[in-house]
Amino acid sequence: MTRLSEAQVAARPLLLVVGPTAVGKSEIALALAQTLGTEILTADSRQVFRGLDVGTDKPPVESRGGVPHRLIDLAEPDQPFNAGAFRRHALVEIERLYGEKRVPLVVGGTGLYVRALVRGLCDVPETDLPTRARLIEQARRQGRAFMYQELQRVDPATAKRIHPNDEPKILRALEIYQRSGKRLSEIQDHHRFGDDTFTSLIVGLTRERGALYRRIEVRVEHLFARGLVEETRRLLAQGYSRESAAMKGLGYRQVAGLLAGEYGLEEAVRLLKRDTKRFAKRQMTWFRKEPHVEWMSIQEHESATTVAERIARRAEDFLAHLADSHSAQVVVEGR
């Protein structure tokens, strides 16, 4: 079990494990957390929602090996939740772990959440529910393509950064523009990430593409076997709209079409496999552009324990360097 020294705590270390969906983060993080004697802080924009368990592949309690998983089940599916809210919750957990002299371990595939935590946030307006509701209704009436064209008109730079099908981000950018009169791209360009809040070690996990895609196919079949259809049906019956941001996520979107009679089960499975592979590719594109990620390739038959041991060794070197650097700084300042 790793306990931080006072010098290490003062350096505010943060260990992050990132990568695409189905790469094996959950199993590796569990073994790593057990080795380091810490908890898992989940950076996943869909696992924050209560009741979205199967579709988000949220680890069941019985499979968590006694390791607390934080930053999940924070909001209802129809509640707004963004990177700012994630960062606020994460900072509370991180400070608690520092108080216990344990290294915070952040694990996830939501790149924006990771960036917000490590490098700070733009000063953008808080979510305005009336404006958001009006934009959602407009999107329902006029379509996603129209909303994307509107974003291209008012903020072409942001439009280039957002996929035309990513309705939540399109609407959020339009909401910011309508509320503040400022383009999101301008706000981001004037913001300087890198508050140096933490000293971070970011390990990016990757696999050969064919191996990753095979794992995605197995995962999708597992989700259906675990009850993805039944979970989606229950959420819809509880009144959560098919058009809500949470229900438009991977899995729920495809199954909602199945339940609406738009296609059969085989097609729903095919669509989810296809869309998950596309999502994994976008995740890798995001993380490849992030600075200071140390990439670690996983071999197809390598166990989660073995990968966790590799990360743990790197983390030990990282923490030892922090202690040495802090001690040297104290000596210099004390001259």
Side-chain angles (χ1 to χ4, degrees):
M1 184 177 293
T2 301
R3 281 288 181 266
L4 300 177
S5 66
E6 293 291 346
Q8 289 169 331
V9 171
R12 299 181 63 78
L14 192 63
L15 174 58
L16 302 100
V17 177
V18 303
T21 187
V23 77
K25 295 187 298 295
S26 298
E27 300 88 345
I28 292 166
L30 179 60
L32 182 59
Q34 290 171 332
T35 298
L36 298 177
T38 190
E39 303 176 0
I40 293 174
L41 307 183
T42 304
D44 188 300
S45 62
R46 297 195 302 141
Q47 289 191 7
V48 298
F49 293 113
R50 288 185 282 272
L52 273 65
D53 301 328
V54 176
T56 64
D57 205 25
K58 198 179 294 177
V61 174
E62 61 272 16
S63 70
R64 297 177 190 173
V67 174
H69 286 54
R70 310 295 185 185
L71 307 181
I72 61 176
D73 298 330
L74 298 176
E76 298 300 328
D78 57 352
Q79 287 181 304
F81 197 94
N82 55 30
F86 169 79
R87 191 172 196 271
R88 288 191 294 274
H89 283 279
L91 291 177
V92 171
E93 300 294 348
I94 289 170
E95 294 301 332
R96 176 180 59 80
L97 289 169
Y98 285 154
E100 298 170 2
K101 292 186 168 54
R102 294 195 283 173
V103 60
L105 171 59
V106 178
V107 182
T110 300
L112 183 60
Y113 281 16
V114 171
R115 178 186 289 178
L117 182 58
V118 173
R119 297 162 63 190
L121 277 170
C122 295
D123 185 19
V124 297
E126 291 290 327
T127 297
D128 181 71
L129 294 181
T131 303
R132 174 64 61 87
R134 178 167 48 77
L135 287 167
I136 291 173
E137 175 60 20
Q138 185 179 3
R140 187 191 67 79
R141 289 186 287 103
Q142 296 181 280
R144 184 185 303 142
F146 176 86
M147 304 305 288
Y148 185 71
Q149 290 171 2
E150 179 65 9
L151 181 59
Q152 287 178 311
R153 184 183 69 81
V154 301
D155 189 354
T158 295
K160 287 182 179 179
R161 301 172 187 171
I162 297 177
H163 193 279
N165 292 332
D166 195 340
E167 187 172 302
K169 289 182 182 177
I170 294 170
L171 298 187
R172 175 60 174 153
L174 288 171
E175 175 193 338
I176 290 169
Y177 180 77
Q178 291 184 10
R179 284 203 65 200
S180 67
K182 297 179 181 178
R183 299 180 180 90
L184 176 59
S185 57
E186 294 175 341
I187 297 173
Q188 291 174 332
D189 289 343
H190 283 88
H191 173 70
R192 291 185 178 179
F193 287 113
D195 295 335
D196 293 329
T197 304
F198 305 107
T199 307
S200 302
L201 170 63
I202 309 176
V203 177
L205 299 178
T206 183
R207 291 180 185 266
E208 186 272 327
R209 180 177 294 184
L212 179 63
Y213 283 3
R214 286 190 292 274
R215 288 175 62 88
I216 286 174
E217 292 187 356
V218 170
R219 172 176 169 170
V220 167
E221 291 168 5
H222 177 64
L223 296 182
F224 276 92
R226 275 184 63 191
L228 177 58
V229 174
E230 292 75 15
E231 181 174 84
T232 306
R233 182 182 288 114
R234 172 179 55 79
L235 290 165
L236 292 170
Q238 289 175 348
Y240 296 115
S241 169
R242 180 181 174 182
E243 300 302 315
S244 66
M247 295 300 289
K248 283 186 176 181
L250 280 172
Y252 303 105
R253 180 174 74 247
Q254 292 80 6
V255 172
L258 165 67
L259 295 176
E262 296 170 6
Y263 38 74
L265 177 60
E266 184 177 343
E267 177 65 2
V269 173
R270 185 193 71 81
L271 289 173
L272 183 51
K273 288 180 178 179
R274 181 201 69 184
D275 295 345
T276 304
K277 291 173 185 177
R278 291 176 176 176
F279 176 62
K281 184 177 180 180
R282 292 197 298 273
Q283 287 176 298
M284 283 302 298
T285 298
W286 176 287
F287 286 121
R288 289 288 188 192
K289 293 179 180 178
E290 291 296 284
H292 313 305
V293 176
E294 298 185 15
W295 288 100
M296 186 174 290
S297 179
I298 305 171
Q299 303 306 308
E300 188 162 4
H301 300 294
E302 191 173 14
S303 71
T305 301
T306 301
V307 179
E309 289 172 352
R310 286 204 277 153
I311 300 174
R313 287 194 294 271
R314 176 66 186 93
E316 288 170 2
D317 290 342
F318 164 72
L319 293 172
H321 176 73
L322 287 184
D324 292 342
S325 298
H326 185 80
S327 297
Q329 182 179 357
V330 170
V331 171
V332 171
E333 290 178 349
R335 285 183 178 178

